[in-house]
Amino acid sequence: MTEKERYDFYDFYKILERLRAPGGCPWDAAQTHESLKPNLIEEAYEAAEAIDSGRGEKMADELGDVLLQVVMHSLIGKENGEFDIDDVTSAAAKKMIVRHPHVFGDVKVQSADEVLDVWDEVKKKERGEKTLSENLNSVSRALPSIKRAAKLQKKAAKVLAPQESAEDALTLFKKLSEELTVNSSDEALANVLFVLTRFLTLQNVDAEELLRAKNEKFLKKIEKIEKTLVIRRNIW
């Protein structure tokens, strides 16, 4: 196993199984679902960063780290008598078949947007959601707050404000921003941020990604300023 140049999924699974087995790695053997949860979140973000880099080798490396987390949880689940890797792949496969009735059934769609509508309706039926609040509560609370706000607003708008435009949200944003001069409470600030997120969503702009890009620009600006200061010091 240690002399191979390339490894398939089964090889990878056997390696991690060996690490968890008696006589393997003490650290790997000690891990639980709870202890690995932060790692899964961190690896997902690092995979997203690798995708932004556009480098295939980096993407393969970081996606491998995400897969490692999936397999580790599957091994722990098997040891605990909860589930195994076949349960994971079976659940995913069945979900893809059920949620794509336009591919594996007789539902007709004409666009990617219609696919998303079908997907959302199927998920509602799977979860037995009958009310808007039940549908909204299905949005994961583990998401970053801005991304969760965008998802909540998008789902709610389909029922409460299907005709809402970006201009409507922008008008409300301007009004709430002006009111901050007389009321800058946490609630007022939250309202402005919430409505701004709605405006960006209606513009098909991912607020989370927009802020992430701004963070990177800010860092590069600081680096540029520091380089300028170093050059000036050297000149002096």
Side-chain angles (χ1 to χ4, degrees), residues 121 146 162:
E121 288 303 313
I146 290 180

Side-chain angles (χ1 to χ4, degrees), residues 58-93:
K58 185 172 178 59
M59 279 188 265
D61 181 60
E62 295 299 342
L63 289 171
D65 288 342
V66 175
L67 180 59
L68 184 153
Q69 297 299 314
V70 173
V71 175
M72 282 289 283
H73 280 286
S74 298
L75 285 169
I76 294 170
K78 182 179 180 180
E79 294 163 7
N80 295 343
E82 301 166 328
F83 62 91
D84 60 21
I85 191 65
D86 288 341
D87 292 315
V88 174
T89 55
S90 294

Side-chain angles (χ1 to χ4, degrees), residues 30-219:
Q31 298 313 301
T32 65
H33 292 311
E34 290 72 23
S35 69
L36 286 175
K37 185 168 67 173
N39 301 53
L40 178 60
I41 295 171
E42 182 179 344
E43 298 299 355
Y45 275 114
E46 290 183 0
E49 186 177 355
I51 292 172
D52 289 338
S53 75
R55 293 167 49 200
E57 183 180 354
K58 185 172 178 59
M59 279 188 265
D61 181 60
E62 295 299 342
L63 289 171
D65 288 342
V66 175
L67 180 59
L68 184 153
Q69 297 299 314
V70 173
V71 175
M72 282 289 283
H73 280 286
S74 298
L75 285 169
I76 294 170
K78 182 179 180 180
E79 294 163 7
N80 295 343
E82 301 166 328
F83 62 91
D84 60 21
I85 191 65
D86 288 341
D87 292 315
V88 174
T89 55
S90 294
K94 290 177 182 178
K95 188 181 296 182
M96 289 300 98
I97 293 172
V98 171
R99 294 185 182 180
H100 289 81
H102 52 290
V103 177
F104 301 103
D106 55 7
V107 173
K108 304 297 181 183
V109 296
Q110 301 297 324
S111 67
D113 286 338
E114 289 184 19
V115 170
L116 293 178
D117 289 337
V118 170
W119 183 284
D120 196 41
E121 288 303 313
V122 171
K123 286 196 292 185
K124 286 180 184 178
K125 291 180 180 178
E126 288 177 350
R127 297 165 177 164
E129 297 167 1
K130 297 181 180 180
T131 65
L132 176 58
S133 60
E134 287 177 341
N135 186 226
L136 295 181
N137 272 302
S138 69
V139 178
S140 175
R141 287 171 169 75
L143 285 171
S145 295
I146 290 180
K147 187 172 287 293
R148 184 164 183 257
K151 282 183 172 290
L152 289 171
Q153 293 166 349
K154 204 167 185 177
K155 285 177 176 289
K158 289 182 180 181
V159 178
L160 303 178
Q163 303 303 318
E164 183 185 15
S165 68
E167 289 71 23
D168 294 331
L170 182 59
T171 298
L172 180 57
F173 170 72
K174 290 178 178 178
K175 178 183 176 181
L176 292 174
S177 297
E178 291 172 358
E179 292 176 357
L180 287 179
T181 58
V182 293
N183 177 20
S184 59
S185 66
D186 289 350
E187 180 65 26
L189 290 168
N191 287 339
V192 171
L193 184 57
F194 193 76
V195 173
L196 176 59
T197 301
R198 182 59 186 154
F199 166 69
L200 293 173
T201 301
L202 288 166
Q203 292 280 65
N204 292 318
V205 175
D206 188 320
E208 193 74 29
E209 285 298 304
L210 192 67
L211 187 57
R212 182 197 60 76
K214 180 60 181 179
N215 289 339
E216 294 305 311
K217 288 182 179 179
F218 175 73
L219 288 172

